[in-house]
Amino acid sequence: MHLLFIADPLETFKIAKDTTFAMMREAQRRGHTLAVCEPSQLSWRSGARVHAQVREVALTGRADDWYTAGPLRQVALADFDAVLMRKDPPFDSEYFYATHLLEQAEREGARVFNQPRALRDHPEKLAIMEFAQFCAPTLVTRDAQEIRAFHAEHQDIILKPLDGMGGMGIFRVGPDGLNLGSITETLNRHGAQTVMVQKFVPEIVQGDKRVLLIGGAPVPFCLARIPQGSEVRGNLAAGGKGVAQPLSPRDWEIARTLAPILHARGLLLVGLDVIGDYLTEINVTSPTCFQEIHAQTGCDVAHLFISALEAAVATLP
């Protein structure tokens, strides 16, 4: 297959842990050819197909100079066997517009994973609200009084922006309510922006687990991202320690319930975040942790993913 990866610049990859790199390495190992572009290189001229300025790349197997790249050339997305949207959040207006170009490319015959409409329909924090049976008490609002009432009810809460990533903008407010007003004003911008508020789950000390779903099936190991020191966030980007472990019975329950539903909606790869017994996020833009799980357990997640991608492409017209 000829694969196009739409991603952040290759120069920014940390290949020792980058999941997109692991996908590319496994794809090349199987004989597939690789091309890359950034979302800014997508274009659509009236009366023509959606194109991108792409570079053909080959991985060298070296830690430095880890890839070689050909010259830029313009190619229609529909001419690739598969297009993988792997741009990191935030899901801002430019990401939103990119999904519309990708959806047009689908109408022209492109096979895009995850499907653009599914990316738009599953904002990563809001998406959990559909599955309330698995969630801790949660409030989505821009109203400061509602937030105060939620805190009065639950005492120990987490507040976070809907468009954050990597643990950015996450605050904990305990029973004393210290700085709740200031934090609310910062996050909701005096009522102009919506905030998610959740009851604090003390099991965070055991890790914020990333549970992966591939092709409608759970990966049997997750990565528990454990906060370090006085930090409340387990995100690896916030200094959390990643410890791979088998799924717990509750992890399996959540994963087996959501996997077929999300797969049927066009989501080939999903990363569920689970703290204790509670689902806290559904990540669909560029789920990670492939390499950490593989290194610690021997479970080759990239192998599972490329196999699922091959099967998905084979079933599409």
Side-chain angles (χ1 to χ4, degrees):
M1 293 192 299
H2 193 194
L3 307 179
L4 173 63
F5 288 82
I6 303 175
D8 291 298
L10 295 185
E11 295 77 15
T12 67
F13 280 29
K14 298 177 180 178
I15 64 170
K17 64 178 183 177
D18 192 278
T19 288
T20 303
F21 169 78
M23 293 174 175
M24 296 170 69
R25 181 174 58 191
E26 175 62 17
Q28 180 173 287
R29 188 190 69 78
R30 298 188 187 203
H32 303 310
T33 55
L34 313 175
V36 299
C37 75
E38 299 171 33
S40 62
Q41 293 171 304
L42 297 173
S43 64
W44 182 18
R45 184 185 293 268
S46 57
R49 296 187 295 172
V50 175
H51 283 72
Q53 293 289 326
V54 310
R55 294 182 292 166
E56 305 293 330
V57 299
L59 309 188
T60 65
R62 298 190 297 269
D64 57 343
D65 298 324
W66 60 270
Y67 70 92
T68 60
L72 282 173
R73 63 190 188 95
Q74 184 168 282
V75 183
L77 269 59
D79 289 343
F80 291 95
D81 294 296
V83 176
L84 293 92
M85 181 53 161
R86 290 289 303 172
K87 173 70 177 70
D88 282 344
F91 195 111
D92 55 14
S93 59
E94 287 303 321
Y95 195 110
F96 176 79
Y97 300 144
T99 67
H100 281 287
L101 268 64
L102 292 172
E103 192 168 13
Q104 172 60 25
E106 282 188 317
R107 290 190 283 268
E108 298 161 1
R111 305 172 182 91
V112 184
F113 305 93
N114 286 322
Q115 287 186 2
R117 180 179 294 274
L119 291 174
R120 289 200 305 275
D121 288 350
H122 296 83
E124 301 191 324
K125 291 179 174 62
L126 276 177
I128 66 169
M129 301 296 277
E130 179 183 352
F131 306 99
Q133 70 271 34
F134 297 125
C135 300
T138 300
L139 169 68
V140 177
T141 185
R142 62 172 71 178
D143 187 286
Q145 292 305 313
E146 279 199 276
I147 294 173
R148 285 196 176 277
F150 189 88
H151 175 261
E153 178 182 359
H154 296 290
Q155 295 294 301
D156 200 350
I157 63 173
I158 292 289
L159 302 93
K160 52 189 174 182
L162 292 179
D163 60 354
M165 62 167 287
M168 292 187 299
I170 293 178
F171 294 89
R172 178 184 177 185
V173 176
D176 60 7
L178 187 65
N179 289 328
L180 177 59
S182 177
I183 291 168
T184 299
E185 291 170 5
T186 298
L187 292 179
N188 80 343
R189 297 182 182 176
H190 298 276
Q193 186 164 294
T194 303
V195 178
M196 174 169 278
V197 192
Q198 295 174 305
K199 181 180 179 180
F200 176 70
V201 180
E203 288 82 1
I204 184 62
V205 298
Q206 300 163 12
D208 180 355
K209 294 175 285 187
R210 169 58 54 84
V211 177
L212 294 167
L213 312 178
I214 295 177
V219 174
F221 296 91
C222 66
L223 190 75
R225 297 157 298 173
I226 301 171
Q228 301 297 293
S230 61
E231 181 60 69
V232 73
R233 301 169 298 172
N235 309 74
L236 298 182
K241 177 183 179 182
V243 178
Q245 59 192 41
L247 300 191
S248 71
R250 177 64 165 177
D251 297 338
W252 278 111
E253 180 187 6
I254 296 171
R256 284 174 170 152
T257 301
L258 271 61
I261 297 171
L262 299 177
H263 184 237
R265 296 176 182 176
L267 295 167
L268 184 69
L269 172 62
V270 177
L272 307 178
D273 286 351
V274 179
I275 300 175
D277 288 337
Y278 297 108
L279 175 69
T280 61
E281 289 191 21
I282 299 175
N283 296 274
V284 300
T285 51
S286 59
T288 60
C289 300
F290 280 27
Q291 294 207 59
E292 294 89 344
I293 292 173
H294 186 196
Q296 295 182 40
T297 71
C299 178
D300 192 341
V301 188
H303 175 87
L304 297 176
F305 176 76
I306 297 299
S307 294
L309 177 66
E310 291 171 341
V313 170
T315 62
L316 292 173

